[in-house]
Amino acid sequence: MEIVKTLNIPASFFYDKVMDSVLFDVRKATGKSVTRKQLKNLEYIKQFSQNNRARIIIEEVIDNQSYKFRTSTTKNDFVVHYQIKPIDEKSCEVHYTEQMESHGMLQKMNDMILGTMLMYFKKRRFKKMLGMIEESY
């Protein structure tokens, strides 16, 4: 999935919102508070339900420009990348990519069918979230 959207907010404001969310997620999953400087290469386990958990690896953190992480489960690997480009002092372009690699032929077929059907809703929900961040400025 790929989404490119221009937002009427500074790149630093958008980046701060993403980082606030990441730091909250890390604290909730690990019980530890970390700083932005400690995020790169950070690995932790996130419990989604009693039988569903994933290993999160934060691969890239560049202030006001980029945030990339990998979520690994027994069935899939997801790589999410936010790239933020300032247009001017009051606006930025957000380039969001999400790639999924499934493990096993049956899982690949299942994800391909379900992924195609759910992609529309995921994109719509993500664009709505971007709009809410923009409105909060």
Side-chain angles (χ1 to χ4, degrees):
M1 179 170 81
E2 182 173 9
I3 296 172
V4 178
K5 187 157 173 66
T6 300
L7 300 175
N8 293 314
I9 55 176
S12 59
F13 180 82
F14 180 79
Y15 185 79
D16 286 344
K17 289 295 182 186
V18 171
M19 287 295 103
D20 289 348
S21 176
V22 171
L23 293 171
F24 177 81
D25 191 56
V26 169
R27 187 172 52 249
K28 188 174 178 190
T30 66
K32 298 177 184 174
S33 292
V34 296
T35 66
R36 289 183 186 188
K37 292 180 181 191
Q38 295 171 308
L39 287 175
K40 186 163 184 190
N41 299 319
L42 181 71
E43 261 185 70
Y44 63 98
I45 302 296
K46 182 173 180 175
Q47 196 78 33
F48 293 104
S49 65
Q50 190 172 4
N51 299 321
N52 196 3
R53 65 183 186 162
R55 182 176 59 137
I56 313 285
I57 304 168
I58 299 174
E59 297 181 346
E60 185 175 279
V61 180
I62 302 172
D63 283 349
N64 302 321
Q65 293 178 38
S66 181
Y67 171 64
K68 182 179 179 182
F69 69 95
R70 177 180 306 271
T71 303
S72 299
T73 68
T74 55
K75 296 178 182 182
N76 320 82
D77 270 1
F78 294 92
V79 177
V80 172
H81 194 184
Y82 290 86
Q83 293 172 291
I84 307 151
K85 294 180 184 172
I87 295 170
D88 56 34
E89 291 179 8
K90 296 181 180 180
S91 61
C92 66
E93 180 182 270
V94 175
H95 187 169
Y96 173 87
T97 54
E98 183 179 291
Q99 297 173 314
M100 180 176 65
E101 184 180 323
S102 303
H103 307 299
M105 187 56 83
L106 207 55
Q107 187 65 43
K108 285 181 184 179
M109 286 178 18
N110 183 44
D111 290 341
M112 190 169 58
I113 293 166
L114 268 176
T116 303
M117 292 174 13
L118 296 175
M119 190 65 63
Y120 169 77
F121 295 105
K122 277 182 91 170
K123 281 186 174 183
R124 195 168 130 191
R125 189 175 64 229
F126 187 78
K127 287 179 181 178
K128 186 176 181 179
M129 182 199 71
L130 290 176
M132 290 170 68
I133 291 171
E134 189 175 38
E135 288 173 13
S136 73
Y137 179 67

